[in-house]
Amino acid sequence: MELCTTEGYGKVTIEAIAARSGVSKKTIYRWWPAKGAVVLEAMVEMVGEVTQFPDTGDIVTDLRNQMIAVVDYFMTGPRAAVYAGIIAETQHDEALARNLLEQLLEPRIRAAQERLRRARDQGQFAPDADLEMAVDLLYGPIYYRLLLHLGAYSHKQIGALIDLVIGSLGPVRPAGPPPVQ
Amino acid sequence: MELCTTEGYGKVTIEAIAARSGVSKKTIYRWWPAKGAVVLEAMVEMVGEVTQFPDTGDIVTDLRNQMIAVVDYFMTGPRAAVYAGIIAETQHDEALARNLLEQLLEPRIRAAQERLRRARDQGQFAPDADLEMAVDLLYGPIYYRLLLHLGAYSHKQIGALIDLVIGSLGPVRPAGPPPVQ
């Protein structure tokens, strides 16, 4: 990751990774088929640390904290180009695409859906709110802005995005038991 | 585009484009710097034909028709891989990224904002509705699903997406003059 953020993802080679880490190219190729796979695994470790899904009981605050961490860490600055470079490579590398889905995206998507489901179970959204689509609505725009070069959202815009999406899921009310009818 | 959809974007070369079109490589290079630029220009011509922004007076119907055309034409079947391939190339080709923005994305984004603005001016949304973000919410998820290999939306899902986003912009009412207070 250090190499990628200083040299640029496109210029990093397996040779350079071997030299920097003090192991042979052969050792790297024993564990990873190509550069994309090495860098993806490094990203997966970071994602696990950075994008924990909190549950304070307040879905808007929790989404806000998690999404600001994602955008600040992966969608801005030098790591943004690294992440975009990996996603680009998955367009013509099916194995890397599968790894991206299985190791990075699907677990994070499930965690987001799970957090929204708890809020729905607490009566914070309409009972038939489509939580899969809600996750697409939250994360779709931030990936779209990264990959189509439209510029990352500010923290304020992330807050506005969450308000719009959460508002679309039905009336938000504080967590707690359902109101007595 | 025929070559790209039959051979796969990654396998198409300037040589193959020259052979298929019956001109010399030199002629192609006189007009376009690289394969990505040739294919992008072909896409731009198609986009203009396929994704016209209608105005029937009903914003939901108009978005639905336009977005179904975009998803069916560019996000599913063989053209999806071509479009994803071009977007991938823009991650390490700044000139192509600029062309993608200027020739294809920005005009379509402006057209979508313009159509939403007319609906807002007719009182169909809250007067302070954020129309830039609304466009991100509409198109973000369909690009996200394309580029992250999550599968394109069905027509039914596109309808549900539009309903959620339009619902988030404030109460929808039929087009016409504002109600008398």
Side-chain angles (χ1 to χ4, degrees):
Chain A
M1 285 303 295
E2 277 171 26
L3 269 176
C4 283
T5 51
T6 53
E7 303 298 313
Y9 176 76
K11 288 189 186 137
V12 171
T13 57
I14 290 281
E15 281 83 352
I17 297 173
R20 180 66 155 262
S21 54
V23 301
S24 70
K25 276 176 64 177
K26 206 179 140 200
T27 301
I28 293 179
Y29 278 121
R30 194 182 305 149
W31 297 99
W32 294 280
K35 175 180 81 170
V38 183
V39 180
L40 176 62
E41 193 162 325
M43 291 223 85
V44 169
E45 285 193 13
M46 289 180 161
V47 167
E49 289 164 26
V50 172
T51 68
Q52 291 300 324
F53 237 104
D55 186 353
T56 66
D58 175 355
I59 183 69
V60 171
T61 303
D62 290 353
L63 283 172
R64 205 182 135 80
N65 288 337
Q66 200 267 356
M67 291 186 68
I68 284 176
V70 170
V71 170
D72 283 358
Y73 204 82
F74 294 106
M75 310 270 180
T76 49
R79 277 180 297 262
V82 179
Y83 196 24
I86 292 178
I87 295 170
E89 214 156 306
T90 66
Q91 307 309 324
H92 43 83
D93 181 338
E94 277 182 39
L96 189 65
R98 215 162 31 242
N99 286 348
L100 175 70
L101 275 174
E102 287 173 6
Q103 293 171 23
L104 197 151
L105 296 172
E106 286 172 350
R108 312 315 302 165
I109 290 172
R110 272 198 300 274
Q113 288 174 355
E114 199 41 57
R115 181 66 191 86
L116 288 169
R117 190 165 294 121
R118 282 200 298 280
R120 189 178 64 182
D121 291 347
Q122 291 166 339
Q124 294 185 64
F125 310 135
D128 62 347
D130 183 340
L131 304 183
E132 279 188 47
M133 191 167 278
V135 172
D136 293 353
L137 280 164
L138 289 165
Y139 293 89
I142 66 178
Y143 277 93
Y144 163 79
R145 296 193 66 91
L146 170 70
L147 296 168
L148 300 184
H149 318 283
L150 294 166
Y153 280 143
S154 67
H155 291 190
K156 196 179 157 192
Q157 286 174 307
I158 294 170
L161 171 71
I162 293 167
D163 288 344
L164 281 174
V165 176
I166 294 297
S168 77
L169 298 178
V172 179
R173 56 168 200 77
V180 177
Q181 299 294 320
Chain B
M1 287 302 295
E2 276 171 25
L3 269 177
C4 284
T5 51
T6 53
E7 304 298 313
Y9 176 76
K11 289 190 185 137
V12 172
T13 58
I14 291 282
E15 281 83 352
I17 297 173
R20 180 67 154 262
S21 54
V23 301
S24 70
K25 276 176 63 176
K26 206 179 140 200
T27 301
I28 293 179
Y29 279 120
R30 194 182 307 148
W31 296 99
W32 295 278
K35 175 181 81 171
V38 183
V39 180
L40 176 63
E41 192 162 326
M43 291 223 85
V44 169
E45 285 193 13
M46 288 180 162
V47 166
E49 291 163 25
V50 172
T51 68
Q52 291 300 323
F53 236 103
D55 187 352
T56 66
D58 175 356
I59 183 70
V60 172
T61 302
D62 290 354
L63 284 173
R64 204 181 136 82
N65 288 337
Q66 201 268 355
M67 291 186 68
I68 284 176
V70 171
V71 170
D72 283 359
Y73 204 82
F74 294 106
M75 309 271 180
T76 47
R79 278 181 295 263
V82 180
Y83 195 24
I86 291 178
I87 296 170
E89 214 156 305
T90 67
Q91 306 309 324
H92 42 83
D93 181 337
E94 278 183 37
L96 188 65
R98 215 163 30 245
N99 286 347
L100 175 70
L101 275 174
E102 288 173 7
Q103 294 172 22
L104 197 151
L105 295 171
E106 286 171 351
R108 312 315 301 164
I109 291 172
R110 272 198 301 274
Q113 288 174 355
E114 200 39 59
R115 181 65 192 85
L116 289 170
R117 189 164 296 119
R118 283 201 297 280
R120 189 178 65 182
D121 291 348
Q122 291 168 338
Q124 294 185 64
F125 310 134
D128 62 347
D130 183 340
L131 303 183
E132 279 188 46
M133 192 166 278
V135 173
D136 293 352
L137 279 165
L138 288 166
Y139 293 90
I142 66 178
Y143 277 92
Y144 162 80
R145 296 192 66 91
L146 171 69
L147 297 168
L148 299 184
H149 318 284
L150 294 166
Y153 281 143
S154 67
H155 292 190
K156 196 178 159 194
Q157 285 174 309
I158 294 170
L161 170 71
I162 293 167
D163 288 344
L164 282 174
V165 175
I166 293 298
S168 77
L169 297 178
V172 178
R173 55 170 200 76
V180 178
Q181 298 295 320

